[in-house]
Amino acid sequence: MLPWRARKGERTPPYAVWLSEIMLQQTTVKTVGPYYAKFLAKWPTVEALAQSPLDDVLRAWAGLGYYARARNLHACAIAVVERHGGVFPDDMEALRALPGIGDYTAAAVGSIAFDLPAVPVDGNVERVVTRLFAVEEALPAAKPEIKRLATSLMPESRTGDFAQALMDLGATICTPKKPACALCPWNDKCVARARGDQETYPRKAPKREGRLRRGAAFVVLRADNRVLLRQRPEKGLLGAMTEVPGSDWSHDFDVGSALDAAPKFAKAKWRKLPGEVTHVFTHFPLALTVFVAQVPKTAKAPNGARWAEVAHLRDEALPNVMRKVLAAALD
Ligand code: SF4
């Protein structure tokens, strides 16, 4: 569990709940732990985070994935300062109106930090509720029904404790495989348990895999141990993150004409690395062919690009796919 869990009788600060919940979206507690500690140490308040340049936030986020969350985190910190004087609002509508805060995060912050009557429904809660009531509809279509059923279980007071207890029940007792039903406080009411088919819930619609996209990545190494980097556009996948120059990524990418998209350097000799660097995004898998070229110390960076010291690459806001590309090229 993350350190935002308050001690008995204490209320968890909304900033801590919000930060951890944004980080935990699509990411495990184990991965989030060190990032959460780093963010709280660097930016102990929402004001400090709001005052920091976006680039610093993206750098600190690098490696955690789903970078839109980092941009929204920063935008939300600014909005809390500008709209609410640096204090998270104790009102569900105002919470939902903040950048990057959807139903789930609003319910988590609202219930855990302010005891508002809301139930945050994450994957753990979905599992408990669908088993308890034997919900036959498949996810994600079943989400509104699960929310309604979860809300029907909510007590009138201590909604924050209830929300955390429900999430903990799903994480530790009502586990995906072999749930410990004998320890569950609802075992006499659970429909799936009575039928003995708990593990078949929640029902899930079959997954549709995205089509493979291909592209090229160009690693230009300067003789003084620098590598050419540029920033991705603000909007879209990996927005505002750092990358090596590359081609577009498409289903019908033609590796034969990949060098048309390479940065132009006089006399640069491109070497194609064997194999491809692969990465799986939420909606599609990607395979990149990596080309490497060495250029002299005097080479100038093309417009929109810059040279970065190889020794300091770990401090750059490079997404995992680009770290894989650089690892392959610098090996
Ligand atoms: S009885 Fe078992 S399946 Fe039902 S909610 Fe409890 S742990 Fe989950």
Side-chain angles (χ1 to χ4, degrees):
M1 293 299 159
L2 288 175
W4 58 255
R5 293 292 158 130
R7 281 190 289 273
K8 205 172 170 194
E10 281 180 9
R11 181 70 47 77
T12 311
Y15 175 60
V17 180
W18 165 73
L19 181 63
S20 61
E21 290 298 344
I22 300 285
M23 287 184 164
L24 284 166
Q25 289 164 14
Q26 288 114 359
T27 311
T28 62
V29 171
K30 194 170 164 221
T31 306
V32 163
Y35 283 88
Y36 175 79
K38 177 169 73 174
F39 267 65
L40 271 193
K42 202 168 162 75
W43 298 293
T45 63
V46 71
E47 287 95 339
L49 185 59
Q51 280 162 13
S52 175
L54 172 62
D55 209 39
D56 283 0
V57 177
L58 287 170
R59 249 184 221 133
W61 191 276
L64 207 46
Y66 301 96
Y67 295 91
R69 291 182 299 167
R71 289 194 299 280
N72 278 331
L73 192 81
H74 190 245
C76 183
I78 292 171
V80 169
V81 170
E82 288 179 353
R83 293 181 208 168
H84 304 287
V87 178
F88 275 86
D90 57 352
D91 170 277
M92 290 299 290
E93 278 314 301
L95 283 170
R96 255 189 234 109
L98 290 166
I101 295 200
D103 267 356
Y104 171 78
T105 310
V109 176
S111 62
I112 297 169
F114 300 117
D115 257 349
L116 295 175
V119 187
V121 180
D122 65 357
N124 289 322
V125 174
E126 282 175 350
R127 193 163 53 253
V128 174
V129 171
T130 53
R131 289 172 176 180
L132 205 50
F133 295 96
V135 175
E136 293 303 331
E137 193 175 16
L139 284 169
K143 280 178 182 284
E145 176 65 357
I146 295 170
K147 174 127 189 133
R148 188 188 68 74
L149 291 168
T151 307
S152 75
L153 298 166
M154 186 175 63
E156 282 183 9
S157 62
R158 295 179 59 196
T159 54
D161 288 344
F162 172 74
Q164 291 181 79
L166 193 54
M167 288 193 256
D168 284 352
L169 181 69
T172 60
I173 291 180
C174 194
T175 47
K177 297 265 178 265
K178 297 194 172 43
C181 298
L183 302 175
C184 176
W186 280 325
N187 60 16
D188 58 335
K189 297 187 179 63
C190 179
V191 179
R193 191 207 180 204
R195 298 196 321 205
D197 61 356
Q198 304 94 307
E199 289 189 20
T200 65
Y201 294 91
R203 309 283 200 226
K204 286 188 181 141
K207 259 196 185 166
R208 275 197 297 149
E209 286 260 315
R211 270 176 74 198
L212 174 70
R213 295 185 202 178
R214 287 202 146 86
F218 304 104
V219 179
V220 189
L221 290 167
R222 209 167 71 167
D224 57 351
N225 264 334
R226 281 159 207 261
V227 65
L228 191 69
L229 296 180
R230 67 182 185 186
Q231 195 181 33
R232 291 180 62 83
E234 285 274 336
K235 294 237 151 57
L237 184 69
L238 307 176
M241 298 296 291
T242 302
E243 65 173 6
V244 300
S247 69
D248 288 341
W249 302 337
S250 62
H251 308 304
D252 54 0
F253 172 72
D254 171 20
V255 75
S257 49
L259 287 175
D260 293 352
K264 306 289 176 257
F265 287 96
K267 295 186 194 154
K269 277 209 180 106
W270 290 101
R271 178 169 60 90
K272 181 161 102 52
L273 297 189
E276 291 171 312
V277 167
T278 57
H279 189 79
V280 179
F281 292 104
T282 329
H283 302 301
F284 66 93
L286 175 69
L288 291 175
T289 304
V290 181
F291 293 85
V292 183
Q294 318 264 355
V295 296
K297 207 159 99 175
T298 50
K300 294 231 166 7
N303 271 351
R306 63 185 166 86
W307 297 107
E309 282 185 54
V310 169
H312 293 155
L313 283 177
R314 85 170 69 85
D315 300 326
E316 296 285 345
L318 289 158
N320 285 336
V321 60
M322 287 299 142
R323 291 192 185 273
K324 289 185 193 172
V325 165
L326 285 161
L330 301 172
D331 193 12

